Amino acid sequence: MSFVEYGDTIKDGDTAIVFLGHESMFPVKVQHGTVTQTKYGVIRHSTNLIGKKYGSKVTCSKGGWVFILHPTPELWTMNLPHRTQILYSTDISIITMMLELKPGSIVCESGTGSGSLSHALIRTVAPTGHLYTVEFHQQRAEKARQEFREHGVEHLVTVTNQDVCKNGFGVSNIADAVFLDIPSPWEAIGHAKSALKAEGGRICSFSPCIEQVQRTCLAMEEYGFTEINTLEILLRVYNVRTISLQIPDLGKAAEDNSSSGFDSSNPSQQSSPCANLQQGTVQFKSGVPLREVVGHTGYLTFATKS
């Protein structure tokens, strides 16, 4: 199993996604002799998982069933164990595009965090590119190395435990892109410039506060970066539902009243036509926004090394 190479069959030691529904799924490490509890019953790895094809429908001990999915960076983002606040697919997609990443690209990242963006970057630059990721926290760096090894992508990533603001990325003049997700990104702009290739390299900084963005933009300008721009991605999700509405009355009642000799001055007749009128309903599909909408996640500042 690898996050960048699809495998058809579930093997011992793989990471798989147990899919109970679009709002309910979780990762599991497949191990011989192990069982996993779900609300539909027990999944026995030896008999229910190992040797089965990814995408299989597995029946649990209580009679319910789940699907076993091959992991992808998108599914991992939704199900990974959180060690830090993470980036989600909405921001990841624009980062990948604006940094102009492709297979073979060299990328520097800080900090690694929970590895949500890291997995997406690795999948994008594979099979010949490489990710150099720096994590200040030692335990998080060690956990990231372990996950990359378990996910079959350790040959595409180098994890370094150091302070990027003081020691940089450990590489010079080779990176096609640099990504910063640290509290004080303006202190690492100089190291980012040193890591980028001689001309045309791209940089992105993610910051939740506009004050961080202001200082970062000033540092980018000071170090000679051009095409500096900041954007914010706001996602609004719509649910498709069946809506029922009454067919509007476009005057048929008034015509019926005049033809039947209805006397509007007679109180006894004023309410009877409207009471007897049976209006129909029509059903149609409509997009309805969610009541709670995910708002601000962070500001993305992009620039180019000139």
Side-chain angles (χ1 to χ4, degrees):
M1 185 279 303
S2 172
F3 272 56
V4 296
E5 296 176 1
Y6 181 79
D8 188 53
T9 305
I10 304 172
K11 298 181 178 63
D12 189 14
D14 283 1
T15 297
I17 305 296
V18 179
F19 180 89
L20 293 82
H22 289 288
E23 302 298 328
S24 179
M25 62 184 92
F26 59 89
V28 61
K29 184 174 181 180
V30 180
Q31 293 178 313
H32 185 78
T34 303
V35 297
T36 297
Q37 295 282 350
T38 74
K39 63 181 181 181
Y40 300 127
V42 172
I43 301 174
R44 294 177 174 82
H45 294 201
S46 300
T47 57
N48 298 132
L49 298 184
I50 297 176
K52 299 293 181 64
K53 290 186 176 182
Y54 279 106
S56 297
K57 184 178 179 179
V58 174
T59 302
C60 304
S61 61
K62 292 182 181 179
W65 47 267
V66 299
F67 287 105
I68 307 300
L69 306 181
H70 192 285
T72 65
E74 291 79 12
L75 288 174
W76 186 245
T77 291
M78 298 171 62
N79 296 282
L80 58 78
H82 285 229
R83 299 183 289 274
T84 60
Q85 182 65 31
I86 69 169
L87 290 175
Y88 290 92
S89 297
T90 306
D91 289 317
I92 291 173
S93 59
I94 195 70
I95 291 169
T96 303
M97 184 189 73
M98 295 293 286
L99 290 182
E100 303 173 3
L101 301 182
K102 59 186 182 299
S105 295
I106 306 297
V107 186
C108 293
E109 174 197 24
S110 183
T112 311
S114 300
S116 173
L117 176 64
S118 303
H119 283 81
L121 294 177
I122 291 169
R123 198 257 310 269
T124 302
V125 304
T128 56
H130 200 83
L131 172 66
Y132 294 90
T133 182
V134 178
E135 173 57 51
F136 175 78
H137 194 275
Q138 182 179 359
Q139 291 180 335
R140 287 201 293 262
E142 292 174 354
K143 185 61 178 178
R145 289 193 190 98
Q146 177 185 344
E147 286 181 349
F148 293 144
R149 183 167 56 254
E150 292 176 351
H151 297 166
V153 296
E154 72 276 7
H155 61 290
L156 296 170
V157 57
T158 299
V159 181
T160 305
N161 172 220
Q162 63 186 29
D163 185 352
V164 70
C165 296
K166 295 181 179 179
N167 306 113
F169 294 94
V171 296
S172 300
N173 302 320
I174 65 169
D176 297 287
V178 169
F179 177 79
L180 298 174
D181 183 8
I182 55 178
S184 53
W186 56 89
E187 296 180 0
I189 298 300
H191 294 297
K193 183 177 181 180
S194 300
L196 286 169
K197 59 186 181 182
E199 186 177 358
R202 295 279 286 166
I203 183 174
C204 174
S205 174
F206 176 89
S207 297
C209 302
I210 195 63
E211 291 82 6
Q212 294 171 303
V213 174
Q214 292 170 338
R215 297 188 64 175
T216 302
C217 289
L218 289 174
M220 288 179 175
E221 189 175 28
E222 179 182 347
Y223 279 95
F225 283 89
T226 59
E227 299 178 338
I228 303 172
N229 65 88
T230 299
L231 53 87
E232 178 186 23
I233 308 298
L234 299 178
L235 177 66
R236 190 175 189 184
V237 178
Y238 284 78
N239 280 340
V240 178
R241 297 178 181 174
T242 300
I243 305 297
S244 297
L245 291 179
Q246 281 190 329
I247 299 175
D249 181 4
L250 301 178
K252 183 178 179 181
E255 295 177 1
D256 292 344
N257 292 343
S258 61
S259 63
S260 62
F262 173 70
D263 184 4
S264 60
S265 63
N266 188 347
S268 63
Q269 297 183 12
Q270 286 182 0
S271 60
S272 58
C274 294
N276 295 331
L277 180 63
Q278 298 294 326
Q279 287 186 325
T281 61
V282 61
Q283 293 185 338
F284 59 94
K285 296 291 185 180
S286 178
V288 180
L290 301 179
R291 292 184 178 181
E292 295 183 1
V293 179
V294 177
H296 171 77
T297 57
Y299 300 102
L300 293 168
T301 301
F302 296 92
T304 303
K305 182 179 178 180
S306 62

